[in-house]
Amino acid sequence: MSDVDIVLIGRNEAQRLPAALAAAKRSGARLVYVDSGSSDGSPEIAEDMGAEVVRLDMSRPFTAARARNTGAAAFHDPAPYLQFVDADCVLAPGWIETAKDFLAQHQRHALVTGWAREEQPDHSVFNRLIDWEWRAPAGPIDACSGNLMVRRSTFDAVGGFDGGFIASEEEDLCARLASDGWALERLPEEMVTHDAGMTRLSEWWRRTERAGHGLAQLGAKHPGRRHTERLRAWLYGLALPVATLVLAVLWWPLVILPLAIYGRSWLSGYRTLRNTGTRPADARAFATLFTLAKAPVLIGMLRFYLRSMLRREMRLIEYRKDRA
């Protein structure tokens, strides 16, 4: 039996799924594919490729966290290590062995992740931004994406992912592991290639709104975590726009004051990006998106607060019609 079990999760990823499944199978690890209500034949594709398919119970709102937990529970004689992969990602050759060896040699570490890269960064500015975000520094971390390897014993000990999260469930898992004294690491190794397939501003906006929902949900469970980011969303997403409108009514030349704050924020982001080697055109575009992002982040936060107040279920905010 392999030392690693792979849980691959997806929804409407028929085009990408064969490559994701093939790469996972080449690793030699056992594999379970969990499908969250696909309408594009994804489960049948996985079955035709010989994968064990688990269909998520859709009587409840689906989340990536629920899908991952369901996949993990499908292994009745679990391996020591558990690798999670999203179906829009393809595992890099050698990653499974690299990650497993690291955890075997570092007994204080519960979780390890690596670098991702976008398959088509030149397809849109949004893809390039995501590609830039993937290249976070290697070393000790306090959060990561859903593509990760974790010790099965520690994963079970903390209760797996919180199925109520629609986003940031990975960071919640990291927070709980860290609070139990475990170390987390990002290796300077390629882990997956990713296909964001994002070409429209509306898709980026919805994806950022979902991130804001996760940010608020994370704050409700871990109040001290990413507190500054939530404050920035309130400042740039609400306080400054309101101030701009009020000053425009009182005496329009005063509008230059809040606009100058936005400009300073943009310039700071641009300089940081240029100092890290980002080419000028991308630095300008990324800095603009960083500044604009505070609005959808705040909308996502407000959506979480409203759902919580009304005791509504946390339903996924989908940024593309054909994907989760």
Side-chain angles (χ1 to χ4, degrees):
M1 185 183 76
S2 170
D3 289 338
V4 180
D5 292 331
I6 297 178
V7 174
L8 182 68
I9 67 167
R11 181 171 186 266
N12 291 331
E13 293 286 357
Q15 291 187 340
R16 188 64 170 167
L17 185 57
L21 286 167
K25 292 181 73 173
R26 280 195 296 270
S27 71
R30 293 188 305 178
L31 169 66
V32 165
Y33 169 66
V34 183
D35 189 85
S36 297
S38 291
S39 58
D40 64 353
S42 289
E44 291 75 21
I45 291 172
E47 288 171 342
D48 288 345
M49 292 186 65
E52 179 182 348
V53 176
V54 176
R55 288 172 169 81
L56 194 65
D57 178 5
M58 299 300 288
S59 64
R60 298 164 49 203
F62 71 88
T63 65
R66 278 190 59 220
R68 294 187 185 113
N69 287 342
T70 299
F75 296 101
H76 301 297
D77 52 342
Y81 307 109
L82 192 55
Q83 173 74 46
F84 292 101
V85 190
D86 294 340
D88 58 359
C89 295
V90 174
L91 282 168
W95 165 255
I96 292 294
E97 287 298 318
T98 297
K100 180 185 70 172
D101 290 347
F102 180 89
L103 289 176
Q105 296 167 19
H106 297 78
Q107 294 299 314
R108 289 188 57 254
H109 284 70
L111 177 152
V112 65
T113 188
W115 280 330
R117 65 176 176 85
E118 278 302 313
E119 189 173 83
Q120 301 182 78
D122 294 330
H123 200 212
S124 72
V125 65
F126 309 111
N127 283 6
R128 289 196 297 279
L129 175 60
I130 294 171
D131 189 61
W132 178 86
E133 292 173 341
W134 286 137
R135 290 286 166 169
I141 57 172
D142 63 1
C144 66
S145 74
N147 299 294
L148 58 91
M149 184 181 288
V150 63
R151 292 183 191 278
R152 180 64 189 243
S153 58
T154 58
F155 179 80
D156 290 343
V158 298
F161 290 98
D162 186 331
F165 273 69
I166 71 162
S168 298
E169 71 280 354
E170 310 96 331
E171 187 167 350
D172 167 63
L173 175 67
C174 289
R176 287 182 283 122
L177 289 171
S179 68
D180 280 355
W182 290 98
L184 320 171
E185 189 89 6
R186 177 178 290 109
L187 302 182
E189 303 284 345
E190 186 170 310
M191 175 180 55
V192 296
T193 56
H194 176 257
D195 179 23
M198 193 180 300
T199 59
R200 295 190 291 271
L201 179 64
S202 60
E203 294 170 345
W204 170 84
W205 184 280
R206 293 282 289 177
R207 184 176 185 268
T208 308
E209 187 178 329
R210 184 166 73 181
H213 191 289
L215 184 64
Q217 195 166 7
L218 191 69
K221 189 171 181 179
H222 309 278
R225 201 169 181 91
R226 297 175 68 183
H227 179 65
T228 301
E229 290 184 47
R230 290 189 293 277
L231 287 180
R232 285 176 180 156
W234 284 110
L235 172 63
Y236 290 96
L238 181 64
L240 286 178
V242 170
T244 302
L245 292 174
V246 171
L247 292 175
V249 171
L250 294 176
W251 190 46
W252 70 264
L254 291 176
V255 168
I256 194 65
L257 297 176
L259 293 182
I261 297 176
Y262 280 117
R264 186 173 181 272
S265 174
W266 181 92
L267 185 60
S268 176
Y270 175 79
R271 286 174 172 170
T272 299
L273 287 160
R274 289 292 293 129
N275 288 338
T276 58
T278 306
R279 60 189 183 183
D282 281 344
R284 289 191 293 271
F286 294 174
T288 300
L289 290 173
F290 290 157
T291 303
L292 181 61
K294 304 304 187 297
V297 165
L298 181 62
I299 291 171
M301 289 171 54
L302 292 174
R303 181 175 291 195
F304 167 73
Y305 297 139
L306 180 61
R307 286 173 169 177
S308 297
M309 183 176 65
L310 298 177
R311 299 182 183 278
R312 291 180 178 172
E313 291 181 307
M314 301 297 167
R315 294 183 176 273
L316 191 66
I317 300 172
E318 298 189 67
Y319 71 89
R320 286 185 54 180
K321 291 181 180 179
D322 60 333
R323 296 161 100 173

